[in-house]
């Protein structure tokens, strides 16, 4: 009998114990009492074959790769590379499900997993080649546009000359923010007229969208009032509703979500 990792240790032990007690002439009732199991279990282990009884039952198709995944994650292999290895072994699980499974393993065994960087040999070689050049990541460009993170003068000059749309986007973002800082409606109208004529479709579409909803945009610019509090309350109520979905009655949902002032003298 093969006592490999394909078999459940608990079931193997139970199988051998039941066989030994039966060979020694114990009754099924006595065996069940000694091994703390039911008589039906003893009968099943007496009559059925070894393999279907003792092989591990995997609740998920990825469970059979559990030990391999733990080993790879502990060695610093990224989830993407682990997933690619699973695919080569024929595991049909989707990437999102595989990532969820690996996250649970990492939490259970307290493994610091490599989330962003691939550790495959091809990815490492690619990174080494990139390190030979002076390059800017896409995330760096976005930080420059949205968060005003400074780039070197050389990088700024190169980006603007190579991609003029970046400079146009930067001007658009800064001008739009200035409208709200100064609460200046004439600046808003000039902004819309300017970018409606932009050669870049994204910007012209944005300006036309502002024009279509001009009343709401004017109120947002001129008024200090905001519906942020209302939207925050809506978000809180929706979260409670989704958390309780399928678990609680409508009465409990109403009690948690609706304010009911006390009545009477109490």
């Amino acid at each position: 009998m093969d006592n490999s990792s394909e078999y459940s240790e608990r079931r193997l032990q139970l199988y051998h114990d039941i066989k030994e007690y039966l060979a020694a002439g114990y009754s099924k009732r006595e065996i069940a009492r000694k091994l703390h199991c039911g008589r039906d279990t003893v009968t099943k282990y007496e009559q059925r074959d070894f393999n279907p009884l003792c092989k591990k039952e995997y609740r998920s198709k990825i469970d059979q790769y559990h030990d391999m995944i733990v080993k790879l994650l502990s060695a610093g292999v990224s989830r993407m590379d682990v997933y690619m290895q699973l695919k080569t072994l024929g595991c049909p699980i989707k990437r999102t499900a595989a990532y969820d499974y690996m996250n649970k393993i990492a939490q259970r065994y307290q493994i610091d997993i490599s989330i962003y960087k691939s550790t495959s040999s091809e990815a490492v070689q690619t990174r080494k080649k990139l390190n030979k050049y002076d390059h800017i990541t896409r995330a760096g460009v976005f930080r420059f546009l949205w968060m005003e993170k400074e780039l070197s003068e050389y990088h700024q000059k190169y980006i603007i000359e190579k991609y003029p749309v970046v400079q146009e986007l930067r001007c658009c973002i800064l001008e739009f923010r200035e409208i709200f800082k100064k609460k200046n409606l004439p600046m808003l109208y000039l902004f819309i007229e300017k970018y409606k004529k932009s050669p870049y479709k994204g910007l012209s579409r944005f300006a036309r969208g502002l024009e279509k909803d001009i009343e709401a945009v004017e109120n947002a610019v001129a008024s200090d009032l905001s519906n942020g509090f209302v939207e925050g309350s809506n978000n809180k109520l929706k979260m409670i509703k989704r958390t309780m979905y399928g678990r609680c009655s409508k009465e409990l949902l109403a009690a948690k979500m609706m304010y009911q002032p006390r009545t009477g003298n109490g």
Side-chain angles (χ1 to χ4, degrees):
M1 295 180 184
D2 185 12
N3 191 14
S4 68
S5 60
E6 295 181 2
Y7 296 91
S8 167
E9 293 182 9
R10 183 182 64 81
R11 293 183 179 185
L12 278 171
Q13 187 63 46
L14 185 60
Y15 180 87
H16 292 308
D17 290 345
I18 289 175
K19 291 295 184 182
E20 287 178 6
Y21 279 118
L22 287 172
Y26 284 84
S27 68
K28 293 180 181 178
R29 183 187 297 273
E30 291 173 323
I31 296 172
R33 187 170 62 251
K34 286 181 176 294
L35 298 179
H36 305 288
C37 62
R39 281 180 290 175
D40 291 341
T41 301
V42 176
T43 302
K44 180 175 69 173
Y45 275 77
E46 178 190 23
Q47 296 177 354
R48 292 179 60 181
D49 294 333
F50 171 76
N51 277 337
L53 279 173
C54 299
K55 272 200 169 182
K56 290 181 179 178
E57 290 182 359
Y58 298 110
R59 289 175 294 178
S60 171
K61 294 175 181 178
I62 198 175
D63 276 339
Q64 57 187 307
Y65 304 102
H66 176 274
D67 295 339
M68 183 193 81
I69 293 172
V70 172
K71 184 178 179 180
L72 291 173
L73 292 177
S74 300
V77 180
S78 69
R79 294 179 302 174
M80 172 58 75
D81 292 332
V82 175
Y83 173 70
M84 295 308 296
Q85 289 196 39
L86 291 174
K87 295 297 286 184
T88 59
L89 293 173
C91 181
I93 195 167
K94 299 293 185 183
R95 185 168 66 176
T96 303
Y99 276 27
D100 289 341
Y101 186 84
M102 285 184 265
N103 289 339
K104 290 176 183 177
I105 286 179
Q107 185 177 8
R108 186 185 312 152
Y109 297 102
Q110 297 183 346
I111 301 172
D112 293 328
I113 57 177
S114 176
I115 298 177
Y116 301 108
K117 291 184 179 179
S118 176
T119 54
S120 66
S121 57
E122 295 83 1
V124 171
Q125 292 301 321
T126 302
R127 284 202 296 272
K128 285 182 178 179
K129 290 178 181 178
L130 283 174
N131 288 335
K132 297 178 181 178
Y133 304 98
D134 182 18
H135 67 283
I136 306 170
T137 64
R138 182 178 178 182
V141 176
F142 280 128
R143 284 195 292 268
F144 170 65
L145 288 173
W146 291 104
M147 302 166 65
E148 299 184 9
K149 297 288 183 180
E150 290 297 328
L151 294 176
S152 67
E153 185 177 347
Y154 170 76
H155 285 160
Q156 287 189 37
K157 182 179 178 181
Y158 176 82
I159 290 174
I160 292 170
E161 289 179 356
K162 189 75 174 177
Y163 307 101
V165 65
V166 173
Q167 178 64 14
E168 187 81 2
L169 284 170
R170 181 166 171 77
C171 292
C172 178
I173 292 168
L174 293 176
E175 289 175 17
F176 193 67
R177 287 176 178 170
E178 194 68 18
I179 292 170
F180 283 87
K181 285 180 183 178
K182 294 184 176 180
K183 298 188 177 299
N184 193 318
L185 288 176
M187 285 179 65
L188 172 65
Y189 307 137
L190 292 173
F191 176 90
I192 292 173
E193 289 301 319
K194 174 182 176 181
Y195 286 101
K196 272 170 56 177
K197 303 172 184 176
S198 173
Y200 302 107
K201 289 184 179 179
L203 295 179
S204 61
R205 195 180 299 119
F206 173 64
R208 291 193 183 94
L210 293 176
E211 190 175 43
K212 287 180 181 177
D213 204 14
I214 190 63
E215 186 177 353
V217 178
E218 286 175 346
N219 291 333
V221 171
S223 176
D224 290 325
L225 300 177
S226 169
N227 65 342
F229 176 78
V230 176
E231 292 298 332
S233 299
N234 288 341
N235 186 57
K236 181 180 178 181
L237 295 177
K238 288 178 180 178
M239 183 190 71
I240 295 172
K241 181 182 71 174
R242 289 166 183 162
T243 303
M244 296 176 62
Y245 181 79
R247 301 181 183 182
C248 306
S249 64
K250 284 195 255 184
E251 290 76 15
L252 181 57
L253 179 64
K256 288 179 73 69
M257 297 179 69
M258 296 176 64
Y259 174 69
Q260 296 181 352
R262 291 184 178 182
T263 56
N265 298 324

